[in-house]
Amino acid sequence: MSSNLPCVFVTRRLPDAAMEIIHSASAAEVWQEEMPPPRAVLLEKVRAAEGLLCLLTDRIDAELLDNAPNLRVVSQMAVGFDNIDVAACSARGIPVGNTPGVLTETTADLTFALLLAAARRIVEADRYARSGAWQTWSPMLLTGPDVHHATLGIIGMGRIGYEVARRAHGFEMNILYTDAQRSEAAEQNFGAQFADLGTLLSQSDFVTVHTPLTPQTRHLMGAQQFARMKPSAIFINTSRGPVVDQAALYEALKRRQIAAAGLDVFEVEPLPLTDPLLQLDNVVLLPHIGSASIATRTRMAVLAAENLVAGLQGLPLPHPVDPAVTRFARP
Ligand code: DGY
């Protein structure tokens, strides 16, 4: 590899399609381990780097940037970028890229999978079928609420919220939503009705969160909000864990203040094995796989590679971080 190519650090192995783009334009060092590079290693690796391709498991902050005097671009393989101090990057003139759009429908699919799994008790039923407990067909065995024609409350009608609404419309659900902005498209295409958060919480059979994690949305869902939900309601989160006060959610589930939850994201990831949520049957737990289809993860990696290369070449990034993500104001 020519030594004239800019030096880049890539914090995990990526699909070949992305690696080809990266290798064509840089001298890339790729972290080969399954676990993320430890902090000290990351700090050391960025010292000479002109480009950094990172994941949501890497903390990119002022300390790291101060350690990376040659850095010209930070490219994240994710749409969310709460692990990155974007202001600190901007202050140093370092553009930050993310991967919006390509994961929207895949994440909406997973949201619906979680919603159906929590409502129809799919995980419990699978355990039951394997356990030997299944003796006969029984009238009320493993029953749950219907999804079709129920009311779905969508908190955050951005790209993913909108695609969730499309799926809900297919199930003939009534849709309520809250956001800082009205979505004419969701109202016209899916009959979604705008509501304040309190109304949405008290009237919905299912509540699903689709906001970015910002200072405004941290613990947007807490004890007070769960208390407003119906005791029969089911809560879904595929956005970011800290949007929810997880201790309050645990209490609400344990005391059956709400019926169930489906969670793909947590305040601490991986979810510690000591976490009390693991003791509950009325919650479906997934390991942050919202965008995990083969095609989508490949598209995300390619986009991240394209952002990286554009930044190295001093060109505008195809997908600079989206200022719209800050628009969700706390209702
Ligand atoms: C993201 O992109 O922000 C997801 O959490 C991972 O796909």
Side-chain angles (χ1 to χ4, degrees):
M1 182 145 321
S2 159
S3 55
N4 292 332
L5 290 172
C7 177
V8 154
F9 186 57
V10 181
T11 66
R12 222 69 63 78
R13 283 194 306 271
L14 301 179
D16 289 348
M19 289 317 309
E20 279 163 25
I21 296 169
I22 295 169
H23 287 311
S24 71
S26 69
E29 183 180 354
V30 183
W31 182 250
Q32 296 294 328
E33 311 285 325
E34 197 49 41
M35 295 301 287
R39 179 75 180 167
V41 173
L42 185 58
L43 290 179
E44 193 249 305
K45 296 290 182 191
V46 294
R47 207 165 284 150
E50 290 165 73
L52 175 63
L53 196 153
C54 57
L55 307 187
L56 48 82
T57 43
D58 306 310
R59 181 160 46 86
I60 311 302
D61 56 10
E63 181 199 24
L64 179 140
L65 299 172
D66 288 342
N67 230 45
N70 302 322
L71 200 59
R72 289 190 279 129
V73 56
V74 172
S75 174
Q76 160 117 322
M77 184 189 146
V79 65
F81 49 84
D82 43 278
N83 56 310
I84 301 176
D85 185 340
V86 176
C89 292
S90 301
R92 291 160 178 79
I94 300 171
V96 179
N98 69 338
T99 62
V102 293
L103 49 69
T104 303
E105 289 164 282
T106 302
T107 306
D109 286 351
L110 193 278
T111 303
F112 233 79
L114 256 182
L115 188 153
L116 286 164
R120 300 300 305 276
R121 303 170 63 182
I122 301 294
V123 177
E124 260 182 283
D126 176 86
R127 284 195 208 111
Y128 183 84
R130 292 167 194 264
S131 72
W134 184 15
Q135 301 293 325
T136 183
W137 188 90
S138 180
M140 296 308 283
L141 176 68
L142 286 163
T143 48
D146 274 322
V147 172
H148 66 86
H149 296 97
T151 296
L152 173 66
I154 300 178
I155 302 177
M157 189 59 86
R159 283 180 290 250
I160 296 173
Y162 184 83
E163 284 303 321
V164 170
R166 187 197 299 283
R167 284 148 182 76
H169 189 57
F171 278 71
E172 299 186 74
M173 297 180 89
N174 307 309
I175 302 167
L176 300 177
Y177 76 100
T178 192
D179 198 302
Q181 291 170 11
R182 298 283 285 256
S183 168
E184 262 181 48
E187 293 182 16
Q188 277 171 18
N189 297 335
F190 313 131
Q193 286 175 271
F194 187 82
D196 60 67
L197 182 61
T199 306
L200 179 150
L201 292 172
S202 62
Q203 293 189 1
S204 297
D205 301 305
F206 298 88
V207 172
T208 182
V209 183
H210 300 285
T211 64
L213 174 61
T214 66
Q216 289 72 36
T217 62
R218 185 173 291 274
H219 284 194
L220 179 67
M221 287 297 297
Q224 279 184 345
Q225 287 69 34
F226 290 119
R228 296 194 77 157
M229 288 173 65
K230 297 181 186 180
S232 56
I234 293 179
F235 176 73
I236 307 296
N237 188 12
T238 59
S239 63
R240 282 290 184 269
V243 172
V244 176
D245 177 345
Q246 201 166 296
L249 173 59
Y250 168 76
E251 283 303 321
L253 287 167
K254 184 159 184 263
R255 291 192 279 113
R256 302 274 166 171
Q257 199 173 28
I258 65 170
L263 307 174
D264 185 42
V265 289
F266 303 90
E267 287 205 83
V268 175
E269 295 180 7
L271 184 64
L273 286 178
T274 52
D275 194 288
L277 280 174
L278 290 159
Q279 305 306 320
L280 299 178
D281 278 337
N282 56 341
V283 57
V284 178
L285 306 168
L286 299 181
H288 202 147
I289 56 166
S291 62
S293 76
I294 299 161
T296 290
R297 286 287 168 86
T298 304
R299 280 195 292 262
M300 289 165 68
V302 166
L303 263 193
E306 289 170 351
N307 275 334
L308 177 82
V309 170
L312 291 173
Q313 295 173 347
L315 300 171
L317 307 196
H319 295 278
V321 293
D322 183 353
V325 296
T326 56
R327 87 196 150 95
F328 190 94
R330 199 182 190 99

mmCIF file of all heavy atoms in Angstrom, residues 152-166 175-187 190 192-194 208-211 327-328:
data_model
loop_
_atom_site.group_PDB
_atom_site.id
_atom_site.type_symbol
_atom_site.label_atom_id
_atom_site.label_comp_id
_atom_site.label_asym_id
_atom_site.label_seq_id
_atom_site.Cartn_x
_atom_site.Cartn_y
_atom_site.Cartn_z
ATOM 1 N N LEU A 152 -51.948 2.598 18.598
ATOM 2 C CA LEU A 152 -50.492 2.682 18.744
ATOM 3 C C LEU A 152 -50.085 4.137 18.946
ATOM 4 O O LEU A 152 -50.458 5.003 18.142
ATOM 5 C CB LEU A 152 -49.810 2.135 17.482
ATOM 6 C CG LEU A 152 -48.277 2.313 17.421
ATOM 7 C CD1 LEU A 152 -47.590 1.482 18.505
ATOM 8 C CD2 LEU A 152 -47.740 1.913 16.048
ATOM 9 N N GLY A 153 -49.312 4.403 19.983
ATOM 10 C CA GLY A 153 -48.771 5.747 20.209
ATOM 11 C C GLY A 153 -47.314 5.784 19.798
ATOM 12 O O GLY A 153 -46.504 5.005 20.306
ATOM 13 N N ILE A 154 -46.982 6.671 18.868
ATOM 14 C CA ILE A 154 -45.614 6.772 18.358
ATOM 15 C C ILE A 154 -45.000 8.065 18.904
ATOM 16 O O ILE A 154 -45.498 9.157 18.608
ATOM 17 C CB ILE A 154 -45.583 6.767 16.819
ATOM 18 C CG1 ILE A 154 -46.208 5.462 16.295
ATOM 19 C CG2 ILE A 154 -44.157 6.941 16.299
ATOM 20 C CD1 ILE A 154 -46.273 5.372 14.767
ATOM 21 N N ILE A 155 -43.946 7.937 19.682
ATOM 22 C CA ILE A 155 -43.266 9.115 20.224
ATOM 23 C C ILE A 155 -42.082 9.407 19.308
ATOM 24 O O ILE A 155 -41.091 8.674 19.303
ATOM 25 C CB ILE A 155 -42.791 8.858 21.674
ATOM 26 C CG1 ILE A 155 -43.981 8.483 22.557
ATOM 27 C CG2 ILE A 155 -42.066 10.095 22.218
ATOM 28 C CD1 ILE A 155 -43.616 8.140 23.991
ATOM 29 N N GLY A 156 -42.206 10.445 18.490
ATOM 30 C CA GLY A 156 -41.152 10.775 17.529
ATOM 31 C C GLY A 156 -41.530 10.273 16.145
ATOM 32 O O GLY A 156 -41.320 9.105 15.828
ATOM 33 N N MET A 157 -42.114 11.172 15.327
ATOM 34 C CA MET A 157 -42.527 10.770 13.971
ATOM 35 C C MET A 157 -41.456 11.200 12.972
ATOM 36 O O MET A 157 -41.699 11.949 12.028
ATOM 37 C CB MET A 157 -43.892 11.398 13.634
ATOM 38 C CG MET A 157 -44.528 10.898 12.356
ATOM 39 S SD MET A 157 -44.837 9.134 12.301
ATOM 40 C CE MET A 157 -46.453 9.014 13.082
ATOM 41 N N GLY A 158 -40.235 10.717 13.191
ATOM 42 C CA GLY A 158 -39.167 10.931 12.213
ATOM 43 C C GLY A 158 -39.218 9.807 11.191
ATOM 44 O O GLY A 158 -40.262 9.182 10.979
ATOM 45 N N ARG A 159 -38.050 9.526 10.606
ATOM 46 C CA ARG A 159 -38.026 8.502 9.552
ATOM 47 C C ARG A 159 -38.518 7.148 10.048
ATOM 48 O O ARG A 159 -39.352 6.507 9.413
ATOM 49 C CB ARG A 159 -36.592 8.352 9.016
ATOM 50 C CG ARG A 159 -36.155 9.435 8.075
ATOM 51 C CD ARG A 159 -34.720 9.184 7.623
ATOM 52 N NE ARG A 159 -33.806 9.408 8.709
ATOM 53 C CZ ARG A 159 -32.956 10.431 8.789
ATOM 54 N NH1 ARG A 159 -32.894 11.302 7.816
ATOM 55 N NH2 ARG A 159 -32.166 10.572 9.825
ATOM 56 N N ILE A 160 -37.990 6.709 11.190
ATOM 57 C CA ILE A 160 -38.341 5.358 11.656
ATOM 58 C C ILE A 160 -39.779 5.344 12.180
ATOM 59 O O ILE A 160 -40.554 4.426 11.882
ATOM 60 C CB ILE A 160 -37.322 4.865 12.702
ATOM 61 C CG1 ILE A 160 -35.937 4.729 12.047
ATOM 62 C CG2 ILE A 160 -37.757 3.513 13.288
ATOM 63 C CD1 ILE A 160 -34.787 4.416 12.993
ATOM 64 N N GLY A 161 -40.146 6.380 12.931
ATOM 65 C CA GLY A 161 -41.513 6.461 13.426
ATOM 66 C C GLY A 161 -42.516 6.386 12.279
ATOM 67 O O GLY A 161 -43.548 5.713 12.368
ATOM 68 N N TYR A 162 -42.192 7.062 11.184
ATOM 69 C CA TYR A 162 -43.080 7.078 10.024
ATOM 70 C C TYR A 162 -43.233 5.671 9.430
ATOM 71 O O TYR A 162 -44.332 5.250 9.061
ATOM 72 C CB TYR A 162 -42.530 8.047 8.971
ATOM 73 C CG TYR A 162 -43.422 8.213 7.773
ATOM 74 C CD1 TYR A 162 -44.498 9.092 7.804
ATOM 75 C CD2 TYR A 162 -43.186 7.491 6.602
ATOM 76 C CE1 TYR A 162 -45.333 9.242 6.702
ATOM 77 C CE2 TYR A 162 -44.005 7.633 5.498
ATOM 78 C CZ TYR A 162 -45.072 8.512 5.546
ATOM 79 O OH TYR A 162 -45.901 8.656 4.450
ATOM 80 N N GLU A 163 -42.123 4.947 9.349
ATOM 81 C CA GLU A 163 -42.200 3.581 8.787
ATOM 82 C C GLU A 163 -42.929 2.632 9.740
ATOM 83 O O GLU A 163 -43.565 1.675 9.302
ATOM 84 C CB GLU A 163 -40.802 3.059 8.446
ATOM 85 C CG GLU A 163 -40.241 3.667 7.181
ATOM 86 C CD GLU A 163 -41.131 3.452 5.947
ATOM 87 O OE1 GLU A 163 -41.721 2.370 5.786
ATOM 88 O OE2 GLU A 163 -41.249 4.400 5.142
ATOM 89 N N VAL A 164 -42.816 2.891 11.041
ATOM 90 C CA VAL A 164 -43.603 2.098 11.998
ATOM 91 C C VAL A 164 -45.093 2.390 11.773
ATOM 92 O O VAL A 164 -45.930 1.474 11.780
ATOM 93 C CB VAL A 164 -43.167 2.403 13.453
ATOM 94 C CG1 VAL A 164 -44.134 1.772 14.454
ATOM 95 C CG2 VAL A 164 -41.751 1.892 13.696
ATOM 96 N N ALA A 165 -45.405 3.671 11.537
ATOM 97 C CA ALA A 165 -46.805 4.039 11.282
ATOM 98 C C ALA A 165 -47.331 3.328 10.036
ATOM 99 O O ALA A 165 -48.474 2.861 10.001
ATOM 100 C CB ALA A 165 -46.929 5.558 11.117
ATOM 101 N N ARG A 166 -46.488 3.226 9.014
ATOM 102 C CA ARG A 166 -46.920 2.533 7.787
ATOM 103 C C ARG A 166 -47.291 1.070 8.096
ATOM 104 O O ARG A 166 -48.307 0.549 7.642
ATOM 105 C CB ARG A 166 -45.786 2.559 6.756
ATOM 106 C CG ARG A 166 -46.205 2.012 5.388
ATOM 107 C CD ARG A 166 -44.999 1.660 4.534
ATOM 108 N NE ARG A 166 -44.124 2.774 4.243
ATOM 109 C CZ ARG A 166 -44.372 3.731 3.327
ATOM 110 N NH1 ARG A 166 -45.475 3.684 2.628
ATOM 111 N NH2 ARG A 166 -43.507 4.696 3.114
ATOM 112 N N ILE A 175 -53.578 5.325 15.022
ATOM 113 C CA ILE A 175 -52.231 5.825 15.323
ATOM 114 C C ILE A 175 -52.311 7.205 15.952
ATOM 115 O O ILE A 175 -52.907 8.128 15.388
ATOM 116 C CB ILE A 175 -51.376 5.874 14.042
ATOM 117 C CG1 ILE A 175 -51.298 4.480 13.413
ATOM 118 C CG2 ILE A 175 -49.981 6.423 14.340
ATOM 119 C CD1 ILE A 175 -50.752 4.478 12.000
ATOM 120 N N LEU A 176 -51.703 7.345 17.128
ATOM 121 C CA LEU A 176 -51.482 8.648 17.744
ATOM 122 C C LEU A 176 -49.991 8.916 17.662
ATOM 123 O O LEU A 176 -49.196 7.971 17.700
ATOM 124 C CB LEU A 176 -51.907 8.635 19.214
ATOM 125 C CG LEU A 176 -53.364 8.314 19.515
ATOM 126 C CD1 LEU A 176 -53.590 8.268 21.035
ATOM 127 C CD2 LEU A 176 -54.283 9.344 18.869
ATOM 128 N N TYR A 177 -49.601 10.174 17.550
ATOM 129 C CA TYR A 177 -48.166 10.446 17.573
ATOM 130 C C TYR A 177 -47.907 11.783 18.231
ATOM 131 O O TYR A 177 -48.768 12.661 18.278
ATOM 132 C CB TYR A 177 -47.558 10.414 16.161
ATOM 133 C CG TYR A 177 -47.836 11.630 15.312
ATOM 134 C CD1 TYR A 177 -46.876 12.634 15.177
ATOM 135 C CD2 TYR A 177 -49.047 11.778 14.643
ATOM 136 C CE1 TYR A 177 -47.121 13.759 14.390
ATOM 137 C CE2 TYR A 177 -49.297 12.897 13.867
ATOM 138 C CZ TYR A 177 -48.336 13.882 13.738
ATOM 139 O OH TYR A 177 -48.592 14.991 12.980
ATOM 140 N N THR A 178 -46.703 11.903 18.763
ATOM 141 C CA THR A 178 -46.274 13.188 19.278
ATOM 142 C C THR A 178 -44.886 13.489 18.743
ATOM 143 O O THR A 178 -44.076 12.583 18.528
ATOM 144 C CB THR A 178 -46.322 13.229 20.830
ATOM 145 O OG1 THR A 178 -46.175 14.570 21.257
ATOM 146 C CG2 THR A 178 -45.243 12.371 21.471
ATOM 147 N N ASP A 179 -44.646 14.753 18.487
ATOM 148 C CA ASP A 179 -43.356 15.185 17.947
ATOM 149 C C ASP A 179 -43.336 16.704 18.055
ATOM 150 O O ASP A 179 -44.374 17.327 18.297
ATOM 151 C CB ASP A 179 -43.229 14.752 16.471
ATOM 152 C CG ASP A 179 -41.793 14.767 15.980
ATOM 153 O OD1 ASP A 179 -41.147 15.835 16.047
ATOM 154 O OD2 ASP A 179 -41.304 13.733 15.527
ATOM 155 N N ALA A 180 -42.174 17.287 17.860
ATOM 156 C CA ALA A 180 -42.112 18.751 17.865
ATOM 157 C C ALA A 180 -42.788 19.316 16.619
ATOM 158 O O ALA A 180 -43.222 20.465 16.610
ATOM 159 C CB ALA A 180 -40.665 19.217 17.941
ATOM 160 N N GLN A 181 -42.847 18.491 15.567
ATOM 161 C CA GLN A 181 -43.470 18.953 14.315
ATOM 162 C C GLN A 181 -44.598 18.023 13.921
ATOM 163 O O GLN A 181 -44.512 16.820 14.141
ATOM 164 C CB GLN A 181 -42.446 18.901 13.168
ATOM 165 C CG GLN A 181 -41.339 19.905 13.289
ATOM 166 C CD GLN A 181 -40.238 19.644 12.272
ATOM 167 O OE1 GLN A 181 -40.391 18.839 11.346
ATOM 168 N NE2 GLN A 181 -39.122 20.315 12.443
ATOM 169 N N ARG A 182 -45.614 18.582 13.315
ATOM 170 C CA ARG A 182 -46.671 17.748 12.752
ATOM 171 C C ARG A 182 -46.134 17.029 11.525
ATOM 172 O O ARG A 182 -45.292 17.556 10.804
ATOM 173 C CB ARG A 182 -47.855 18.624 12.308
ATOM 174 C CG ARG A 182 -48.529 19.393 13.426
ATOM 175 C CD ARG A 182 -49.417 18.490 14.254
ATOM 176 N NE ARG A 182 -50.659 18.152 13.587
ATOM 177 C CZ ARG A 182 -51.844 18.687 13.899
ATOM 178 N NH1 ARG A 182 -51.941 19.587 14.848
ATOM 179 N NH2 ARG A 182 -52.937 18.303 13.269
ATOM 180 N N SER A 183 -46.618 15.817 11.278
ATOM 181 C CA SER A 183 -46.275 15.094 10.052
ATOM 182 C C SER A 183 -47.524 14.984 9.193
ATOM 183 O O SER A 183 -48.373 14.124 9.432
ATOM 184 C CB SER A 183 -45.735 13.700 10.374
ATOM 185 O OG SER A 183 -45.680 12.921 9.191
ATOM 186 N N GLU A 184 -47.603 15.894 8.218
ATOM 187 C CA GLU A 184 -48.764 15.852 7.326
ATOM 188 C C GLU A 184 -48.841 14.525 6.602
ATOM 189 O O GLU A 184 -49.907 13.963 6.381
ATOM 190 C CB GLU A 184 -48.630 16.954 6.273
ATOM 191 C CG GLU A 184 -49.406 18.187 6.609
ATOM 192 C CD GLU A 184 -49.254 19.232 5.528
ATOM 193 O OE1 GLU A 184 -49.406 18.891 4.342
ATOM 194 O OE2 GLU A 184 -48.955 20.386 5.903
ATOM 195 N N ALA A 185 -47.657 13.997 6.245
ATOM 196 C CA ALA A 185 -47.629 12.736 5.490
ATOM 197 C C ALA A 185 -48.225 11.608 6.332
ATOM 198 O O ALA A 185 -49.054 10.826 5.846
ATOM 199 C CB ALA A 185 -46.199 12.402 5.091
ATOM 200 N N ALA A 186 -47.834 11.525 7.614
ATOM 201 C CA ALA A 186 -48.367 10.443 8.463
ATOM 202 C C ALA A 186 -49.862 10.640 8.690
ATOM 203 O O ALA A 186 -50.625 9.670 8.750
ATOM 204 C CB ALA A 186 -47.623 10.408 9.790
ATOM 205 N N GLU A 187 -50.283 11.892 8.799
ATOM 206 C CA GLU A 187 -51.706 12.156 9.030
ATOM 207 C C GLU A 187 -52.513 11.773 7.798
ATOM 208 O O GLU A 187 -53.543 11.105 7.888
ATOM 209 C CB GLU A 187 -51.900 13.632 9.402
ATOM 210 C CG GLU A 187 -51.278 13.936 10.762
ATOM 211 C CD GLU A 187 -51.454 15.380 11.236
ATOM 212 O OE1 GLU A 187 -52.303 16.099 10.670
ATOM 213 O OE2 GLU A 187 -50.736 15.771 12.176
ATOM 214 N N PHE A 190 -51.633 7.664 6.778
ATOM 215 C CA PHE A 190 -51.945 6.573 7.722
ATOM 216 C C PHE A 190 -53.006 6.969 8.741
ATOM 217 O O PHE A 190 -53.246 6.248 9.703
ATOM 218 C CB PHE A 190 -50.656 6.144 8.466
ATOM 219 C CG PHE A 190 -49.477 5.934 7.551
ATOM 220 C CD1 PHE A 190 -48.240 6.501 7.830
ATOM 221 C CD2 PHE A 190 -49.604 5.173 6.391
ATOM 222 C CE1 PHE A 190 -47.161 6.325 6.979
ATOM 223 C CE2 PHE A 190 -48.524 4.997 5.529
ATOM 224 C CZ PHE A 190 -47.299 5.574 5.816
ATOM 225 N N ALA A 192 -52.785 9.111 11.003
ATOM 226 C CA ALA A 192 -52.198 9.361 12.328
ATOM 227 C C ALA A 192 -52.748 10.664 12.901
ATOM 228 O O ALA A 192 -52.945 11.639 12.173
ATOM 229 C CB ALA A 192 -50.684 9.431 12.221
ATOM 230 N N GLN A 193 -52.980 10.657 14.200
ATOM 231 C CA GLN A 193 -53.500 11.867 14.861
ATOM 232 C C GLN A 193 -52.456 12.405 15.817
ATOM 233 O O GLN A 193 -51.895 11.643 16.630
ATOM 234 C CB GLN A 193 -54.746 11.526 15.662
ATOM 235 C CG GLN A 193 -55.962 11.275 14.807
ATOM 236 C CD GLN A 193 -57.104 10.826 15.690
ATOM 237 O OE1 GLN A 193 -57.266 9.630 15.947
ATOM 238 N NE2 GLN A 193 -57.863 11.786 16.200
ATOM 239 N N PHE A 194 -52.219 13.695 15.717
ATOM 240 C CA PHE A 194 -51.259 14.356 16.602
ATOM 241 C C PHE A 194 -51.856 14.450 18.007
ATOM 242 O O PHE A 194 -53.034 14.739 18.177
ATOM 243 C CB PHE A 194 -50.961 15.749 16.058
ATOM 244 C CG PHE A 194 -49.876 16.439 16.802
ATOM 245 C CD1 PHE A 194 -48.543 16.176 16.516
ATOM 246 C CD2 PHE A 194 -50.169 17.355 17.803
ATOM 247 C CE1 PHE A 194 -47.532 16.814 17.219
ATOM 248 C CE2 PHE A 194 -49.162 17.996 18.503
ATOM 249 C CZ PHE A 194 -47.843 17.723 18.208
ATOM 250 N N THR A 208 -44.549 3.272 21.392
ATOM 251 C CA THR A 208 -43.218 2.975 20.855
ATOM 252 C C THR A 208 -42.431 4.275 20.699
ATOM 253 O O THR A 208 -42.984 5.299 20.284
ATOM 254 C CB THR A 208 -43.332 2.185 19.525
ATOM 255 O OG1 THR A 208 -42.024 1.879 19.052
ATOM 256 C CG2 THR A 208 -44.087 2.934 18.445
ATOM 257 N N VAL A 209 -41.149 4.227 21.067
ATOM 258 C CA VAL A 209 -40.327 5.441 21.105
ATOM 259 C C VAL A 209 -39.368 5.468 19.916
ATOM 260 O O VAL A 209 -38.650 4.492 19.659
ATOM 261 C CB VAL A 209 -39.469 5.478 22.394
ATOM 262 C CG1 VAL A 209 -38.674 6.771 22.459
ATOM 263 C CG2 VAL A 209 -40.336 5.358 23.607
ATOM 264 N N HIS A 210 -39.333 6.610 19.216
ATOM 265 C CA HIS A 210 -38.432 6.767 18.063
ATOM 266 C C HIS A 210 -37.803 8.148 18.063
ATOM 267 O O HIS A 210 -37.923 8.894 17.085
ATOM 268 C CB HIS A 210 -39.200 6.481 16.763
ATOM 269 C CG HIS A 210 -39.735 5.095 16.765
ATOM 270 N ND1 HIS A 210 -38.932 4.001 16.563
ATOM 271 C CD2 HIS A 210 -40.971 4.613 17.048
ATOM 272 C CE1 HIS A 210 -39.661 2.902 16.688
ATOM 273 N NE2 HIS A 210 -40.892 3.241 16.991
ATOM 274 N N THR A 211 -37.168 8.487 19.165
ATOM 275 C CA THR A 211 -36.461 9.763 19.251
ATOM 276 C C THR A 211 -34.963 9.473 19.322
ATOM 277 O O THR A 211 -34.561 8.410 19.791
ATOM 278 C CB THR A 211 -36.835 10.523 20.532
ATOM 279 O OG1 THR A 211 -36.388 9.745 21.645
ATOM 280 C CG2 THR A 211 -38.324 10.741 20.648
ATOM 281 N N ARG A 327 -34.356 18.071 16.699
ATOM 282 C CA ARG A 327 -35.621 18.814 16.667
ATOM 283 C C ARG A 327 -36.643 18.280 17.663
ATOM 284 O O ARG A 327 -37.623 18.936 17.955
ATOM 285 C CB ARG A 327 -36.186 18.791 15.254
ATOM 286 C CG ARG A 327 -37.030 17.615 14.958
ATOM 287 C CD ARG A 327 -37.253 17.426 13.479
ATOM 288 N NE ARG A 327 -37.405 16.016 13.264
ATOM 289 C CZ ARG A 327 -38.579 15.411 13.215
ATOM 290 N NH1 ARG A 327 -39.673 16.082 13.332
ATOM 291 N NH2 ARG A 327 -38.649 14.114 13.051
ATOM 292 N N PHE A 328 -36.457 17.045 18.192
ATOM 293 C CA PHE A 328 -37.481 16.500 19.085
ATOM 294 C C PHE A 328 -37.368 17.161 20.453
ATOM 295 O O PHE A 328 -36.507 16.844 21.246
ATOM 296 C CB PHE A 328 -37.367 14.980 19.233
ATOM 297 C CG PHE A 328 -38.556 14.413 19.958
ATOM 298 C CD1 PHE A 328 -39.634 13.941 19.253
ATOM 299 C CD2 PHE A 328 -38.605 14.406 21.341
ATOM 300 C CE1 PHE A 328 -40.758 13.454 19.913
ATOM 301 C CE2 PHE A 328 -39.717 13.925 22.001
ATOM 302 C CZ PHE A 328 -40.793 13.439 21.279
#
